[in-house]
Amino acid sequence: MLFEQVNNKVVRAHVTAQSPVLARRGAMLGYSGAVAFRPVRGQGGGVGGFVGAAMSGESNPMMASEGDGAVLYGYKGLYVTVIDLDGSYPLTCEADRLLAHDANLQTSVQFVGSGGVRAAVRGAMTGQGLFTTLVHGRGPVALLSHGGAFPLQVTGQWPVGVDPQAYVGHTGNLSLDLKAKVGFRDLTGRGSGEAFTLQVTGQGTVYVQASEQKF
Amino acid sequence: MITLTADKRVLVAEINNDSLRAAQGSMVAFEGSVEFVGAKMGGGDGFRAALKRRVAGESLDLMEARGTGRVFFAEDALDVTVLDVGGSRLTLESDHILAVTPGLRLDVQFAGLRGMTSGQGLATTTVDGQGQIAVKSDGPIFGLEASPGQDVVVDPDAYVGSYGNLQMSMVSGVSWKSLVGEGTGEPFSLRFTGHGLVYVQSAER
Amino acid sequence: MAGPSVFTAQSLPDGDNVNPYVYSIGLAGEWFISKGAMLAYYGNIRFEAVSRYASVRDFVAAQFASPVYVQDWVVAEGQGKLVIGDRGFDLNAYDLDDGNLTIKASNLLAFDTRLALKQSIVPGFVVLIGTGRFIASSNGPVIFVEPPFRADPEALLGWADCPSPAVHHDAAWMAASFAGALQGALGRTSGEEKQYDFTGTGTVLMQSSEIARADPAVLRLIEDQTRLLTDAQAGSLGQQLMARVQQR
């Protein structure tokens, strides 16, 4: 399975009988060859997989691209970052960041509220719900970001913080904890504007976008 | 000690036991022990600057990043450029300021006629001293040199700032008005004469 | 340390990109320019509405053969360097040699007056014909592909040297949508349901999809077509449009 980065906003996927692609609905820009598209409800468990998406709130309309051909994927001019998963760790991201992925990868929905109240607050804060998506297996994933995503290596040597609005996703053995800093200045409106920070600890890579805008 | 490096749409600031002023809420990530606090009165430029901004209806909300580490700043996927300041005075539209090193002073200058119709406030920000300023813009900025006999004419929405000994005037002839689309854009352009540099961004809105 | 690029009237490119998002036209005569595309200029340049330019040089204004789009364009006339941009999108120059190219109207920024412009049969697109240069924007760099190819209309930038596309409805997608009762979830038709189908030889130009910019010409096009309706049909359309506005 191959995702070819055509430019910073578009990827080309070579779809074959062995490797269909799951993508966000509306993200197909064009295609050549004999490719058929089929709406898939929710995500999880590969092609035809179904997780109670409506129940989890992490419902992102997806579709399967099957057959033999080359498909261009992109979405509303947003930047696209391709991450090749080697199977050692899953990728964690919000479902609406997923542009496309190898359908052989498994996705599952995780309730981040289980990490405690703080983690739950994080979902509420970023407006991304209390659920997050895990992508497991070996293969390519294309993620959407506003302005492009850059990887930040976390080694444990330094404390690392990320603005919750700018967080795109992460891989590795990391834990994220929302740190609230509400002081007098923040309440009076003369604060730093950085009242909440995701504190990242462990070892891995966190992806950050060049914007605090959600799309 | 502070080093600013622009990487397309991200500003990377290496801060070594120092403090950097930056646009409020513009931090996207950091490594190390860095603290973010609201900047003092007038964005750190004192009461007089604060009062002038209030009168001018101009807002410049800055915070301070203090400590030691590496901070990544970005806003709305805008492009970032680092300008060296020293010698001549730099004039900037306030909403293009992303970060300012400690050696620089920001003040407000009333721009008169131009400001009244541009919708960018009555005033513009002046930058004096020695240091670096990170500028955010829609697409990369580029400089156009003005010299006697070579005036630069700029769309107000594409104008970012200027450097040197320049006079600015508004041009609003029939010719310019015909160029402005229905209900969009400014009904005038800016003409710069003298010796200096005009910074322009890659988008008109 | 590397600051921004700096140019003078002389060093500014003469008919080339300043950066991927900005283009500099070396003006010596006349060009058609889309309103709002100008960022800056050096020299002695005048701008005149295309319709008014007819009284100056009729044969130049006549090259712009589209009443629907004419209000959004001006003629730039004079000597100097004219710098243009569009929302920070990528800009490209295209040279036609006795050829024709169809391009999305809202992405066309400027063209040399030797070229003629006509409305395409496909709504929202225009055709440039002749020999000369034009400048167009794209959301991300342009992707060139060859037919056979099916394109999402929202991501289609243009095409050259191939027949106009036919509309392809994906029957399987529509059936699956009905079967899965996904109509509500889909909300509106997506690119997977309806595509433009290109066949034959030629080149298709693609860009990343975008939230369409309100194109004033589209309103004029549709207004013009309502003349085809009977009074009863026009009344019914009016009610539907009112309902749509009230739902918002």
Side-chain angles (χ1 to χ4, degrees), chain A residues 104-131:
Chain A
N104 295 313
L105 290 169
Q106 307 287 306
T107 57
S108 60
V109 175
Q110 190 190 37
F111 180 58
V112 294
S114 63
V117 180
R118 285 185 159 189
V121 171
R122 178 189 144 234
M125 267 306 297
T126 57
Q128 293 162 349
L130 301 177
F131 295 83

Side-chain angles (χ1 to χ4, degrees), chain A residues 14-171:
Chain A
H14 297 276
V15 176
T16 63
Q18 290 73 40
S19 37
V21 171
L22 276 177
R24 188 188 172 111
R25 252 182 248 165
M28 191 279 287
L29 304 180
Y31 68 95
S32 58
V35 183
F37 301 91
R38 187 166 57 83
V40 176
R41 196 172 202 174
Q43 78 260 45
V47 176
F50 177 84
V51 158
M55 200 181 72
S56 71
E58 189 78 349
S59 69
N60 201 39
M62 302 291 279
M63 61 169 177
S65 312
E66 294 153 317
D68 191 7
V71 185
L72 295 176
Y73 295 104
Y75 194 71
K76 293 189 174 165
L78 290 165
Y79 282 75
V80 181
T81 307
V82 176
I83 298 169
D84 279 299
L85 296 182
D86 62 7
S88 59
Y89 283 101
L91 170 81
T92 306
C93 65
E94 307 303 330
D96 56 3
R97 298 262 183 208
L98 281 176
L99 173 70
H101 64 85
D102 187 326
N104 295 313
L105 290 169
Q106 307 287 306
T107 57
S108 60
V109 175
Q110 190 190 37
F111 180 58
V112 294
S114 63
V117 180
R118 285 185 159 189
V121 171
R122 178 189 144 234
M125 267 306 297
T126 57
Q128 293 162 349
L130 301 177
F131 295 83
T132 190
T133 296
L134 290 179
V135 188
H136 310 261
R138 192 188 288 260
V141 183
L143 286 184
L144 293 170
S145 67
H146 189 228
F150 63 93
L152 206 56
Q153 306 299 331
V154 184
T155 57
Q157 198 185 342
W158 290 90
V160 172
V162 175
D163 182 327
Q165 317 285 337
Y167 167 81
V168 173
H170 72 268
T171 58

Side-chain angles (χ1 to χ4, degrees), chain B:
Chain B
M1 175 70 193
I2 293 171
T3 315
L4 298 183
T5 317
D7 183 8
K8 288 178 187 146
R9 292 163 297 278
V10 179
L11 173 71
V12 186
E14 308 272 357
I15 306 175
N16 191 351
N17 193 24
D18 210 331
S19 133
L20 174 74
R21 286 186 289 164
Q24 224 175 64
S26 62
M27 180 275 285
V28 292
F30 69 92
E31 301 168 321
S33 45
V34 186
E35 193 192 10
F36 301 89
V37 294
K40 289 185 282 291
M41 175 78 77
D45 291 298
F47 179 71
R48 217 176 87 84
L51 190 67
K52 278 167 83 177
R53 282 196 195 281
R54 179 73 57 86
V55 171
E58 163 113 335
S59 73
L60 178 62
D61 294 318
L62 297 176
M63 62 173 178
E64 249 177 78
R66 281 200 302 241
T68 296
R70 183 184 293 145
V71 186
F72 300 86
F73 296 98
E75 230 172 275
D76 295 342
L78 294 170
D79 272 76
V80 181
T81 311
V82 175
L83 299 177
D84 290 310
V85 184
S88 219
R89 166 178 279 190
L90 175 68
T91 303
L92 273 181
E93 293 297 297
S94 309
D95 51 3
H96 286 286
I97 296 172
L98 182 62
V100 191
T101 59
L104 295 178
R105 288 182 310 281
L106 305 180
D107 203 351
V108 183
Q109 193 184 49
F110 290 90
L113 272 176
R114 144 176 173 38
M116 294 186 71
T117 38
S118 80
Q120 289 171 331
L122 267 163
T124 182
T125 293
T126 57
V127 187
D128 290 284
Q130 290 279 339
Q132 290 186 315
I133 187 160
V135 171
K136 58 186 176 184
S137 57
D138 203 347
I141 65 166
F142 53 96
L144 294 178
E145 250 179 63
S147 55
Q150 296 285 16
D151 293 358
V152 178
V153 182
V154 186
D155 180 321
D157 292 328
Y159 171 73
V160 172
S162 60
Y163 199 67
N165 186 18
L166 290 171
Q167 290 80 50
M168 179 170 71
S169 58
M170 280 174 32
V171 188
S172 80
V174 175
S175 163
W176 181 262
K177 280 181 180 146
S178 71
L179 189 54
V180 177
E182 293 157 29
T184 59
E186 307 296 344
F188 61 91
S189 61
L190 303 175
R191 179 179 284 272
F192 290 86
T193 42
H195 260 296
L197 203 51
V198 181
Y199 291 115
V200 182
Q201 67 179 4
S202 306
E204 71 284 20
R205 54 180 158 261

